[in-house]
Amino acid sequence: MSEQFFVRDCWYVAGLSSDFPAEKLTGHVIAKKPIVIWRTKDGEVVAYDDRCSHKRFPLSKGRLMPDGTLECAYHGMRYDTTGKCVMIPSHPSGPISPQATVRAFPVIEQDGLVWIWPGDPARSETQRPPRVPEVGNDQWESICVGPMNVSANYLLLIENLLDITHFYPLHDGNIGDIANSRIPIELEEGEADGNQYVMTIRQTSSYKQPPYLEDWFHYPVVDRHHTHCMMSPGLTRVVMRNAPPGQLQKRDGDREFPGRLDVGGVERGYVLVHTHTPVDERSHVWRIIVNCPAKDTAKGDPTKSTARRVAEMFPAVAAEDLWAVAEQQRMFEYPDDGYAEVFLKPDLALRRARKIMTDMLRQERAAAQVQAAE
Ligand code: FES
Ligand SMILES: [Fe+2]
């Protein structure tokens, strides 16, 4: 695919709820839209265009006034939480033009994450952000690795996450495990909360764990159920369940969506939440939120929680993926000129992911054309 794009009509993670303490202005770029985001005194998260309607000065560099309005740092225009200008210092008594308004973006705060819709607000009701009930839940320990700035189109990371046959050789020396690449892959697709999803399922039995998985999940030999699911272009969820041979729970033929791990049972594992938020065609922001049952500790060091142990290893693993996708991105700068990618069996999920995103883009463009014609 030579075209590099991002979908705008989609919910994307702007940060964890804890990244937005009350009354702190933050500047973001999501899908090429500059956005100022903050939490009001009352706890509501507000997002609007980061360009002052007067002379484009970034509002995120302004300040919040005691009455809750945002004051631009350049000439002092003040905006309420809907983005409407309510005060112009140089026209204290004059009427305020309705044009002195900055566009607000739809916001949803859910499961410990703040989601923004950078596209057409009228279409924001067609989808809901995917659910990640483990994040910010007392029964779970959640540790965020990142945010990391990735020099590549976000689809390259999504493809990387859906196809773990790259563990060897890219992650040789840490999570590289060549036997893992040979586990057969099943595919599941469907729709949830208005999002088309694609999920790979890897099941294996009496599998000898590599040392790092034995350290995290204790059992040296396991039956394992492992899913990677692009729940939407904004989020990929990974669930790994391990149990001693014969003790892994069977659920709905083991094809359940979105994949979950019970806390407190014989099964050990994790839920990884990857958020990928496009900045532009060539860059995005990646977070890995590691979730493990709060009571689980590492085999090699029982003073350390499993979540902590996993999160300690991930920056080195992520650095290898960051390198790989940036190198791939660099090669997109050359015209195809007869070049065509070869598709292998494990590439099936990434082909489906591309199709889902291409279809979303097509719908988004068609809706924009209809709007322009009205
Ligand atoms: S640029 Fe904001 S008030 Fe002039
Ligand atoms: Fe990787």
Side-chain angles (χ1 to χ4, degrees):
M1 184 186 56
S2 56
E3 193 190 9
Q4 298 247 290
F5 65 84
F6 50 79
V7 179
R8 269 211 180 99
D9 283 353
C10 182
W11 290 102
Y12 290 111
V13 168
L16 274 70
S17 291
S18 54
D19 294 334
F20 299 95
E23 300 191 282
K24 184 172 171 264
L25 296 173
T26 58
H28 305 251
V29 178
I30 300 177
K32 266 188 164 163
K33 304 268 185 182
I35 306 177
V36 55
I37 307 176
W38 80 98
R39 187 184 297 281
T40 66
K41 248 188 261 183
D42 301 333
E44 184 199 356
V45 179
V46 172
Y48 49 64
D49 196 331
D50 199 12
R51 295 166 297 180
C52 177
S53 67
H54 180 219
K55 289 291 172 281
R56 293 174 200 251
F57 191 84
L59 291 170
S60 54
K61 303 273 192 257
R63 62 175 172 169
L64 290 168
M65 307 307 289
D67 66 357
T69 58
L70 192 169
E71 182 189 70
C72 175
Y74 206 178
H75 312 93
M77 282 169 67
R78 290 187 193 172
Y79 298 88
D80 68 12
T81 54
T82 68
K84 188 166 154 279
C85 178
V86 290
M87 210 275 272
I88 304 177
S90 58
H91 298 185
S93 54
I96 298 175
S97 155
Q99 258 174 300
T101 298
V102 287
R103 183 194 146 180
F105 291 90
V107 178
I108 290 179
E109 190 168 16
Q110 175 181 287
D111 300 332
L113 298 172
V114 171
W115 296 83
I116 302 285
W117 178 275
D120 177 0
R123 298 192 69 221
S124 65
E125 307 274 318
T126 58
Q127 298 159 37
R128 289 283 304 178
R131 300 302 309 256
V132 283
E134 298 82 9
V135 180
N137 175 328
D138 287 349
Q139 289 196 300
W140 293 79
E141 182 178 5
S142 305
I143 301 175
C144 182
V145 178
M148 296 170 274
N149 296 312
V150 190
S151 303
N153 186 278
Y154 71 151
L155 183 56
L156 295 178
L157 180 77
I158 294 170
E159 294 180 359
N160 169 293
L161 298 173
L162 288 176
D163 174 21
I164 61 171
T165 62
H166 76 270
F167 279 20
Y168 177 88
L170 187 64
H171 300 304
D172 198 16
N174 49 53
I175 60 168
D177 170 15
I178 198 164
N180 194 48
S181 298
R182 301 192 178 125
I183 299 171
I185 303 162
E186 295 168 68
L187 205 68
E188 183 183 315
E189 290 181 79
E191 192 196 307
D193 297 321
N195 303 298
Q196 297 293 326
Y197 69 83
V198 55
M199 178 163 83
T200 60
I201 304 162
R202 287 175 177 78
Q203 299 191 72
T204 183
S205 47
S206 299
Y207 189 87
K208 175 149 179 18
Q209 295 276 57
Y212 74 97
L213 287 182
E214 185 177 337
D215 178 45
W216 295 349
F217 307 131
H218 296 222
Y219 310 124
V221 177
V222 295
D223 286 357
R224 188 204 287 166
H225 188 263
H226 197 188
T227 56
H228 291 72
C229 182
M230 183 188 85
M231 296 179 78
S232 82
L235 187 139
T236 300
R237 177 183 171 89
V238 180
V239 181
M240 189 194 273
R241 301 194 278 125
N242 301 282
Q247 294 186 48
L248 199 66
Q249 289 178 42
K250 289 269 176 240
R251 295 177 186 147
D252 303 337
D254 274 338
R255 295 182 75 90
E256 89 274 15
F257 172 82
R260 65 196 156 81
L261 174 75
D262 290 335
V263 176
V266 68
E267 291 180 2
R268 285 175 171 265
Y270 60 31
V271 176
L272 303 178
V273 172
H274 294 271
T275 71
H276 17 79
T277 301
V279 174
D280 57 27
E281 291 87 348
R282 292 180 177 78
S283 63
H284 67 275
V285 176
W286 178 21
R287 290 176 180 80
I288 309 170
I289 308 169
V290 176
N291 304 276
C292 294
K295 290 192 181 66
D296 286 4
T297 55
K299 191 177 189 180
D301 181 355
T303 66
K304 233 172 219 169
S305 69
T306 305
R308 175 63 53 199
R309 195 77 157 182
V310 175
E312 279 174 0
M313 189 154 163
F314 268 37
V317 177
E320 291 162 351
D321 292 310
L322 288 170
W323 171 76
V325 296
E327 285 296 314
Q328 266 183 300
Q329 177 67 47
R330 209 166 56 73
M331 302 319 272
F332 274 91
E333 301 307 321
Y334 302 98
D336 279 0
D337 198 17
Y339 171 85
E341 289 181 11
V342 167
F343 287 94
L344 305 177
K345 241 190 190 164
D347 292 330
L348 195 55
L350 67 88
R351 290 192 87 152
R352 300 308 301 164
R354 286 181 188 183
K355 170 91 170 55
I356 289 168
M357 290 169 67
T358 310
D359 287 350
M360 287 176 80
L361 191 68
R362 198 175 301 127
Q363 284 172 16
E364 178 179 312
R365 286 178 177 160
Q369 270 173 4
V370 169
Q371 231 180 39
E374 276 169 3

